[in-house]
Structures are given as structure tokens and as C-alpha cells.
């Protein structure tokens, strides 16, 4: 058979009439976790659905490496989402699924909140998530058509009649018609091309009455450099320019809105099992200059391993970003949300090359300390995962792209339960979590990261209006992933189990709107609520609002008080202010890491020699350490007191008395908190000396 030239083929395609559009009740664009649950729910309610995935695989991040499920309070998850995690539990109940370790060996570590006594399981390997999703879709195959490799035409891809989408057109020319449409992509392309308003970047605090949105130069306390690191190409010479990844100090003040979005990375599936390990590959276009700041950070004496591997079954991990310089490619994704496919592909490839280069550097570069190189050399990519993609994750972690401005914008006030919506379609429960957005040079001439915020929430309802556009813009589109939320509230909502919940609720609303012949914005919420509850969705449960960040001054505490900001620190670089009841501006903790290497010494300047009652201040939580050694150095020697920081201190101002001791005047005595022999976070806040 004679082959036609490519040019002739393209000409024929241009003049050949297209086949009639495929028609379904519901068209779901995006095979993410939310897209899958939407398609399944539509089928279970008796409607036909097409699930269109632009790539060749389903599941987004859930099958793409994010096996350490982020949710907070698991009570908030119901419906098909909880069914998925129950199916994961059933999957791993089969002994044949355990290759590199036994189920008992894995659960002995009790990672990431899992328990061997639960009927759901929240950690899993990428291929396990794929198998579970495939099995769930197979049960509705008579109603759900899955289409791979079809991307929306970004120029003419959405056809509307008034406020209704009538069909969408792919780059291939393929057309899909439907009564209702659901955009379940991480980027929100269908939403944007349908003329729906959206936001990219951080809003100013003033826009929605928030306190932790926008620029966060003072508020970004986590994942920072613990040593001063010079960011200039020629150390000490600003005229030589800045090393890769560092920008000038940003203009503006904290709370100002800007264009920046939180950093992306890949959630690697790693293993230290030699029989299943592929050494970290060196990318062809490896650029050593990208890692100059990392190497200088090691040379400055930072001993920390710059990654966060959470154990998954079979001696694998879900590996995330950690500390100052890690897998997040900070500041290199600003153009991604609104970019065309070619530009996105370049950004995606740059992130992949960067992260591969980082891992190769950690395992091989001679400027990396030998101990750290030896550690990373034991690790690699899991040979039996992502076998069609060189063992590399197929999904980049697009933490945030476009966010719809819909009928209701979720905000910080919702996440703290200070404002509670009455049209819930599911719940969020994770911290308001933003990764860094930029790395800049301070006025003192050192590198610093900006944008990371970790603020606690109470489980809270998410509004139906936040997954529907404004009625004047589109009346038959739902957006369960790029939903209507501010930057900081989206940081809490943007979790895979929540996307599954939102996907199911979106499909439920779509089917009810079809059956009742109404626009989405006019759907009777009482009917929607009744169906959601019948299908096991969790819409709300009683929870008190988040308290304000209660802080005590040293004068309120009384006596001679030394705050953590005045202590002599070795480590304890992680700062916090999410748990109220602290002294001063916040507290510090050891990050549950580098055990035996971190200590904080509190030295008072006592006015007279006397007997002093000594106490420490800390806020108790379930993730705290139980056996924290506190050494009191007094005039008659030293005493070690072991403190259980899971238990609430006994006195007001969160003070725990440790005993009464004789001290000389001046700075001869001290108190030291260490993290040796501990499991869990060790907190340092303040120490008090009270004369008897």
C-alpha cells in the first residue's frame, strides 16, 4: 500500500466532513479522580456519560504517585470517595498483593494515620489505585464510555447556545454533545473556554476579608533555610547576579495580591529494595547550576535530607517536598495555568528534568556530603511502577491553576467555620496548605523562600454554588476540581478525596437538573441534599469554629520569661502558630526529624539568688512527642524531667511546672529542651522562672 505524504493527509483531513458528534447525557472532560467519580455516579443514576481523558491514563494524582492521602479528619469523606478507600483496603487484604513485604510488616509502621483495624486504607501504590479504579469503572461500562488521548481544541473547543454548552470539539475534530458538562481537569480548560470567570494567583487579603492570602514574607515560616546561604553567583558580590532560582526581593507588603501560584512537583514512587530499584537517572540536559544553592546549603552545615518519603506498601514511598530546597520547582510555573499545550509541555518537561537532576545530584554529586550521598544511593525509582513512562510519575502535581469565580467563593472564613454555608455538597478537612511561590534574596543578602502557609481548619461544608458558574455565564457546566475558592481556602480543598466527593456531587446535580428540566443554578437544593445523603455523602457534622490565634505576652505569663525567639537554638528551625495558646509570636518545633541533633537552651537573667519554680510553656496535640527530655541546670546541679507533650499543661498560659530549684543571680542557670529519644513533634515555646 502506497503511503500518502503527511501534507496531503492533513489537507484531506481539513476537507473531509466530520462524523456526527457523539451524544451523551453527561460529558465529563478530565479523567482525574473527580472525573472518575462523576462518571460512575452518572451511570449509577441511569444516565450515559463519556469520560474524556487527554492523556493515556486515568486517575490523575491518585494513580500518579500521591498515595499518601491528605484529608485531615477522615470522617468528612463519604460516598464513592470512601468506597474507593474501602476498595483499596480490600485490595491489600489479598496476601498475593504483598511482594516486597508482608501486610503485617507494613502496618507495624502505622504510616500516615493508617490502622490495620480499619475497613478503609488511605495509603497505596500507584498501580493499585489504577486497578481499583478500573474495576469500579468496569461495573458501569454499559453506561460510561472512556475516551483517551483527546484534548480540547483551545481555539474553537466550546460551542454554546446562550448560556448552555451544546458541544465540545477536540483537536482531532472529534465532537461530543451533552445535556450537562463537567470540567474535572486540574487546569480548568473547559471552564475557561466556556466563558466562565476565574482567577489565577493569590488574591489580596482585603478581597474576601482574609488574613493569610496574598504575599507572605513574614508569614512563610516553614521549609526555610536554617543557615544563611549566599545567593550570589560570586559569593558576597551582588553585582555578579543571582544563582538559578533566586529572584530579587518582591515589592509590596504581606497580604497584597499577586500573580504567583504555589510550586509544582512530582510525587515520586521510590524504593530501597534492590530487587525493585532503578537508580536515579541523570537527565540528558542536566544543569548543575540549578542546584548551586542546594550545594551551598549543605556546605553551610544543613544536615537535613531534602525530601519527605511516606511509606507505601511493598517498601515503596510517596515522596514529597520537604525543607528549603527540595522537589518543588519554586517559581517556575506561573505561566502554566493559562498556557497553550506546547508551553505547558515545556514547563512540564522542565519540572521533570529539574526533579530528576535533583535526585541524581543528591546521590552522586561530590559536593553533597558523603553521608547524604550514601543515603540517597540506596534509593531509586520503583521498577514496577509507571512502566510505560520510564518509572517516572505520569502526572505532575498541579497544586493550583485556574480557580473559578462562581456563585460563591469559598474563603478562609469557611475553612475556619466562622461562616458556614447551608448548601453543602461535601466537606473539606485538611489544613489551609500553600507551598512556596518564590525564592528571593533578603535585604541582608541571603536566600529565603516565600509563600508556604500551614494553618489548621475545622471540618467544614463546601457550597454547591462553588462548583457552579454564575448563571449569566453558563447554566449546564459543573466544576468540581478548579472550583470557586480563594487561593488559601483552595489550599485546603484541593485534596484528592475531596475532588472525588465533589465529582460525585457534581454528577448528582447534573442528573437531577436533567430530570427536572432546570438550569443548574435553579436546582432545588433540598432534592439535591436528599439524594447526596442517600448515596452516603457527608455534608456536615458539628464542629466548633477555629479559635483566634490566642497569644500570651510575657507580662501576662508573669515572672522571668524567656521566649523561643530568645533561646539559643541548635535546630528547631520550624516555626508554627497554628495551635493557639502560645507565648509571643508563635512557637518552634523539631519537625519530628533529626532526632538527637536538636536542642534549645533558655537562659534567664535572674535579678537575685533565690528559689525559683521553673515551668515550660507548650501547646499539646496528638502529634506531639511523649518523652521529651528537659534539663534544668541550677545552682546545686542538674535535673532531667521527662515531659509528655501530648498532655495539656496543668496551669493557665499553657504552663507545666517542672519543680523548684535554687539559682544564683545573673545568667548562671538555664533550661534545655532536647529531642533525643523522642517520637513525634517536640515543641519549644517559652520557659518561666518564678521566685518563691
Amino acid at each position: 500500500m502506497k503511503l500518502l505524504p503527511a501534507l496531503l493527509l492533513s489537507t484531506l483531513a481539513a476537507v473531509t466532513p466530520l462524523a456526527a458528534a457523539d451524544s451523551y447525557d453527561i460529558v465529563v472532560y478530565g479523567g482525574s479522580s473527580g472525573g472518575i467519580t462523576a462518571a460512575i455516579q452518572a451511570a449509577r443514576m441511569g444516565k450515559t456519560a463519556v469520560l474524556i481523558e487527554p492523556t493515556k491514563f486515568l486517575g490523575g494524582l491518585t494513580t500518579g504517585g500521591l498515595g499518601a492521602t491528605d484529608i485531615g479528619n477522615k470522617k468528612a469523606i463519604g460516598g464513592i470517595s470512601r468506597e474507593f478507600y474501602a476498595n483499596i483496603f480490600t485490595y491489600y487484604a489479598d496476601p498475593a498483593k504483598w511482594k516486597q513485604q508482608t501486610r503485617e510488616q507494613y502496618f507495624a509502621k502505622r504510616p500516615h494515620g493508617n490502622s490495620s483495624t480499619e475497613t478503609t486504607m488511605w495509603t497505596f501504590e500507584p498501580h493499585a489505585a489504577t486497578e481499583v479504579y478500573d474495576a469500579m469503572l468496569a461495573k458501569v461500562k454499559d453506561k460510561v464510555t472512556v475516551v483517551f488521548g483527546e484534548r480540547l481544541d483551545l481555539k474553537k473547543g466550546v460551542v454554546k447556545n446562550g448560556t448552555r454548552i451544546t458541544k465540545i470539539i477536540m483537536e482531532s475534530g472529534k465532537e461530543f454533545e451533552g445535556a450537562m458538562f463537567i470540567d474535572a481537569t486540574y487546569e480548568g480548560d473547559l471552564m475557561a473556554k466556556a466563558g466562565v470567570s476565574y482567577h489565577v494567583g493569590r488574591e489580596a487579603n482585603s478581597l474576601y476579608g482574609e488574613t493569610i492570602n496574598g504575599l507572605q514574607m513574614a508569614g512563610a515560616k516553614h521549609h526555610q533555610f536554617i543557615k544563611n546561604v549566599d545567593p550570589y553567583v560570586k559569593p558576597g558580590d551582588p553585582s555578579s547576579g543571582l544563582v538559578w532560582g533566586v529572584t530579587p526581593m518582591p515589592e509590596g507588603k504581606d497580604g497584597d495580591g499577586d500573580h504567583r501560584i504555589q510550586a509544582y512537583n512530582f510525587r515520586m514512587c521510590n524504593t530501597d529494595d534492590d530487587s525493585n530499584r532503578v537508580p536515579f537517572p541523570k537527565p540528558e540536559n542536566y544543569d548543575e547550576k540549578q542546584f548551586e544553592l542546594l550545594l551551598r546549603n549543605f556546605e553551610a552545615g544543613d544536615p537535613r535530607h531534602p525530601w519527605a518519603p511516606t511509606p507505601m506498601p511493598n517498601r515503596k514511598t510517596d515522596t514529597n517536598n520537604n525543607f528549603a530546597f527540595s522537589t518543588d520547582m519554586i517559581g517556575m510555573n506561573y505561566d502554566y495555568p493559562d498556557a497553550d499545550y506546547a508551553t505547558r509541555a515545556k514547563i512540564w518537561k522542565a519540572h521533570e528534568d529539574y526533579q530528576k537532576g535533583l535526585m541524581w545530584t543528591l546521590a552522586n554529586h561530590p559536593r553533597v556530603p558523603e553521608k547524604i550521598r550514601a543515603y540517597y544511593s540506596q534509593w531509586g525509582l520503583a521498577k514496577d511502577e509507571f512502566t510505560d513512562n520510564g518509572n517516572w510519575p505520569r502526572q505532575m502535581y498541579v497544586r493550583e491553576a485556574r480557580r473559578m469565580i462562581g456563585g460563591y467563593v469559598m474563603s478562609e472564613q469557611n475553612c475556619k467555620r466562622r461562616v458556614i454555608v447551608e448548601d453543602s455538597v461535601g466537606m473539606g478537612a485538611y489544613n489551609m496548605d500553600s507551598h512556596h511561590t518564590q525564592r528571593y534574596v533578603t535585604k541582608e543578602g541571603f536566600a529565603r523562600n516565600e509563600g508556604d502557609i500551614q494553618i489548621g481548619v475545622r471540618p467544614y461544608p463546601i457550597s454547591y454554588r462553588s462548583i457552579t458558574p454564575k448563571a449569566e455565564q453558563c447554566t449546564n457546566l459543573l466544576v468540581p476540581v478548579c472550583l470557586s475558592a480563594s487561593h488559601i481556602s483552595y489550599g485546603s480543598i484541593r485534596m484528592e478525596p475531596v475532588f472525588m466527593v465533589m465529582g460525585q456531587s457534581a454528577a448528582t446535580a447534573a442528573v437531577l437538573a436533567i430530570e427536572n428540566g432546570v438550569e443548574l443554578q435553579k436546582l432545588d437544593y433540598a432534592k439535591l441534599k436528599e439524594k447526596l445523603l442517600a448515596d452516603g455523602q457527608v455534608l456536615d457534622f458539628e464542629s466548633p469554629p477555629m479559635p483566634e490565634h490566642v497569644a500570651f505576652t510575657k507580662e501576662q505569663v508573669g515572672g522571668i520569661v524567656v521566649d523561643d525567639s530568645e533561646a539559643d537554638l541548635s535546630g528547631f528551625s520550624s516555626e508554627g502558630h497554628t495551635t493557639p495558646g502560645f507565648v509571643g509570636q508563635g512557637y518552634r518545633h523539631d519537625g519530628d526529624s533529626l532526632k538527637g541533633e536538636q536542642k534549645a537552651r533558655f537562659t534567664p537573667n535572674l535579678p537575685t539568688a533565690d528559689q525559683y519554680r521553673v515551668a515550660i510553656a507548650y501547646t499539646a496535640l496528638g502529634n506531639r512527642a511523649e518523652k521529651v527530655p528537659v534539663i534544668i541546670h541550677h545552682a546545686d546541679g542538674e535535673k532531667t524531667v521527662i515531659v509528655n507533650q501530648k498532655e495539656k499543661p496543668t496551669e493557665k498560659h499553657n504552663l507545666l511546672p517542672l519543680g523548684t530549684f535554687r539559682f544564683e543571680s545573673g545568667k548562671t542557670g538555664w533550661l534545655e529542651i532536647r529531642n533525643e529519644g523522642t517520637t513525634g513533634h517536640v515543641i519549644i515555646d517559652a520557659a518561666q522562672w518564678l521566685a518563691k
Side-chain angles (χ1 to χ4, degrees):
M1 178 179 177
K2 185 176 180 180
L3 297 176
L4 295 173
L7 179 60
L8 180 56
L9 284 171
S10 63
T11 303
L12 287 173
V15 299
T16 301
L18 294 172
D22 289 351
S23 184
Y24 301 86
D25 294 317
I26 299 175
V27 176
V28 182
Y29 183 60
S32 64
S33 57
I36 292 173
T37 56
I40 291 173
Q41 178 67 5
R44 290 181 180 180
M45 293 181 70
K47 301 301 180 184
T48 60
V50 60
L51 181 59
I52 307 167
E53 170 50 42
T55 70
K56 296 180 180 180
F57 76 99
L58 294 174
L61 278 162
T62 298
T63 61
L66 205 168
T69 305
D70 294 320
I71 182 52
N73 189 331
K74 294 192 282 289
K75 182 181 175 182
I77 300 303
I80 297 174
S81 183
R82 180 165 285 271
E83 180 183 328
F84 170 81
Y85 296 104
N87 290 340
I88 290 288
F89 177 88
T90 301
Y91 177 93
Y92 282 112
D94 180 1
K97 302 302 184 184
W98 297 89
K99 308 292 185 182
Q100 282 78 33
Q101 65 185 155
T102 66
R103 187 175 187 274
E104 291 70 27
Q105 288 171 334
Y106 176 69
F107 276 112
K109 299 179 180 180
R110 301 177 67 86
H112 210 67
N114 283 310
S115 167
S116 59
T117 62
E118 294 181 3
T119 58
T120 53
M121 186 167 168
W122 304 80
T123 55
F124 45 85
E125 301 157 278
H127 78 268
T130 294
E131 290 185 34
V132 168
Y133 272 144
D134 286 349
M136 294 173 72
L137 284 166
K139 293 180 179 180
V140 293
K141 63 182 179 181
D142 58 327
K143 293 288 187 181
V144 175
T145 300
V146 180
V147 176
F148 291 101
E150 290 285 356
R151 295 193 305 195
L152 187 70
D153 188 313
L154 295 183
K155 293 182 179 179
K156 57 181 181 180
V158 179
V159 179
K160 292 177 71 177
N161 181 7
T163 60
R164 294 186 64 84
I165 302 172
T166 58
K167 65 181 178 181
I168 59 175
I169 305 171
M170 305 294 108
E171 286 183 312
S172 67
K174 184 76 173 174
E175 299 182 357
F176 297 93
E177 294 178 344
M180 291 286 164
F181 292 80
I182 296 175
D183 185 342
T185 63
Y186 293 114
E187 294 83 8
D189 287 339
L190 174 54
M191 170 195 72
K193 300 310 171 186
V196 173
S197 56
Y198 62 88
H199 191 95
V200 175
R202 299 182 288 189
E203 299 92 347
N205 273 331
S206 58
L207 184 61
Y208 298 121
E210 298 179 304
T211 63
I212 48 176
N213 207 338
L215 192 65
Q216 294 292 324
M217 294 176 68
K221 299 178 181 297
H222 304 280
H223 303 292
Q224 294 291 359
F225 296 92
I226 61 173
K227 306 287 186 179
N228 290 332
V229 182
D230 190 303
Y232 300 112
V233 173
K234 183 179 179 182
D237 182 5
S239 67
S240 66
L242 296 167
V243 299
W244 181 90
V246 181
T247 58
M249 178 179 284
E251 298 180 355
K253 63 182 183 301
D254 274 13
D256 287 351
D258 64 11
H259 65 287
R260 299 180 179 93
I261 56 177
Q262 55 179 310
Y264 300 167
N265 70 345
F266 290 87
R267 298 292 284 254
M268 295 179 296
C269 185
N270 300 125
T271 184
D272 62 352
D273 181 357
D274 287 339
S275 67
N276 194 36
R277 179 177 65 88
V278 177
F280 291 119
K282 183 179 183 179
E284 291 183 4
N285 57 343
Y286 174 76
D287 184 359
E288 182 179 310
K289 293 178 182 177
Q290 291 185 324
F291 310 106
E292 179 61 27
L293 203 64
L294 171 74
L295 300 173
R296 291 185 186 182
N297 188 48
F298 282 135
E299 290 165 348
D302 189 342
R304 299 175 298 178
H305 292 299
W307 70 344
T310 299
M312 297 296 111
N314 288 309
R315 286 181 61 177
K316 298 175 188 174
T317 71
D318 166 0
T319 299
N320 198 11
N321 181 82
N322 203 14
F323 302 133
F325 195 111
S326 185
T327 59
D328 280 359
M329 195 180 188
I330 298 173
M332 303 297 173
N333 59 347
Y334 301 155
D335 293 335
Y336 183 87
D338 276 323
D340 58 26
Y341 295 132
T343 303
R344 283 184 188 163
K346 291 179 181 177
I347 296 171
W348 188 297
K349 183 65 163 57
H351 278 70
E352 182 175 332
D353 286 342
Y354 163 79
Q355 194 164 331
K356 286 180 176 177
L358 170 70
M359 302 315 299
W360 184 90
T361 299
L362 291 169
N364 296 280
H365 201 286
R367 287 174 63 190
V368 173
E370 183 178 358
K371 182 179 179 180
I372 292 177
R373 270 186 285 133
Y375 170 79
Y376 283 99
S377 293
Q378 300 172 27
W379 290 88
L381 304 177
K383 188 185 300 182
D384 59 351
E385 298 289 351
F386 311 123
T387 56
D388 57 350
N389 196 45
N391 309 117
W392 191 256
R394 297 166 301 192
Q395 176 64 56
M396 184 166 68
Y397 197 168
V398 179
R399 289 189 172 92
E400 176 183 25
R402 298 179 176 110
R403 301 187 312 281
M404 180 171 67
I405 304 175
Y408 184 87
V409 179
M410 298 290 294
S411 75
E412 173 187 332
Q413 303 304 320
N414 298 111
C415 297
K416 292 181 175 179
R417 288 189 72 93
R418 299 213 175 98
V419 175
I420 302 173
V421 299
E422 297 181 353
D423 58 346
S424 173
V425 286
M427 298 187 72
Y430 197 73
N431 291 344
M432 286 178 280
D433 173 7
S434 173
H435 284 232
H436 284 302
T437 68
Q438 63 179 320
R439 179 176 290 132
Y440 67 95
V441 56
T442 67
K443 61 183 180 181
E444 294 82 14
F446 302 116
R448 182 173 172 80
N449 298 328
E450 184 274 322
D452 189 287
I453 291 292
Q454 307 289 327
I455 301 293
V457 306
R458 292 285 192 259
Y460 58 91
I462 299 170
S463 173
Y464 172 58
R465 290 163 291 159
S466 71
I467 64 172
T468 52
K470 296 175 182 177
E472 64 269 24
Q473 295 177 348
C474 195
T475 53
N476 68 334
L477 172 68
L478 295 116
V479 186
V481 176
C482 293
L483 52 74
S484 181
S486 70
H487 157 75
I488 196 61
S489 67
Y490 191 77
S492 170
I493 294 169
R494 62 171 181 84
M495 305 302 154
E496 291 290 290
V498 179
F499 288 155
M500 294 186 216
V501 169
M502 293 296 106
Q504 178 180 352
S505 294
T508 304
V511 172
L512 292 178
I514 292 172
E515 292 178 345
N516 289 274
V518 298
E519 297 174 346
L520 289 167
Q521 292 81 1
K522 295 181 179 179
L523 179 64
D524 184 351
Y525 174 70
K527 292 182 179 179
L528 176 59
K529 179 179 180 180
E530 181 182 12
K531 179 58 177 171
L532 294 176
L533 291 174
D535 288 339
Q537 292 278 54
V538 179
L539 302 184
D540 199 8
F541 52 83
E542 194 65 30
S543 181
M546 282 290 292
E548 296 290 348
H549 287 174
V550 177
F552 306 116
T553 65
K554 292 200 291 186
E555 290 73 22
Q556 288 174 315
V557 174
I560 307 299
V561 177
V562 181
D563 190 31
D564 61 287
S565 61
E566 303 167 305
D568 182 15
L569 303 178
S570 177
F572 284 104
S573 60
S574 297
E575 301 180 36
H577 57 273
T578 59
T579 305
F582 46 77
V583 178
Q585 298 299 309
Y587 52 88
R588 299 170 194 252
H589 60 85
D590 69 343
D592 195 14
S593 65
L594 299 176
K595 297 300 187 180
E597 300 180 26
Q598 302 190 57
K599 56 187 177 181
R601 179 171 291 189
F602 298 78
T603 304
N605 187 6
L606 300 176
T608 60
D610 206 339
Q611 294 283 329
Y612 288 86
R613 192 201 73 167
V614 179
I616 60 170
Y618 67 88
T619 52
L621 273 181
N623 70 346
R624 308 307 200 216
E626 293 181 296
K627 299 179 180 179
V628 179
V630 182
I631 296 87
I632 301 106
H633 181 80
H634 51 86
D636 300 314
E638 287 187 1
K639 180 177 178 61
T640 299
V641 179
I642 302 300
V643 175
N644 182 356
Q645 293 192 335
K646 290 182 183 293
E647 296 181 353
K648 184 177 175 59
T650 55
E651 296 193 0
K652 65 179 183 178
H653 306 128
N654 283 323
L655 286 171
L656 178 71
L658 303 177
T660 299
F661 308 92
R662 187 174 67 86
F663 288 86
E664 301 292 348
S665 62
K667 296 183 176 182
T668 59
W670 44 260
L671 175 152
E672 191 168 271
I673 302 175
R674 301 174 182 172
N675 76 340
E676 60 191 11
T678 61
T679 300
H681 288 71
V682 175
I683 306 299
I684 63 165
D685 184 6
Q688 179 204 51
W689 280 258
L690 193 62
K692 300 300 288 184

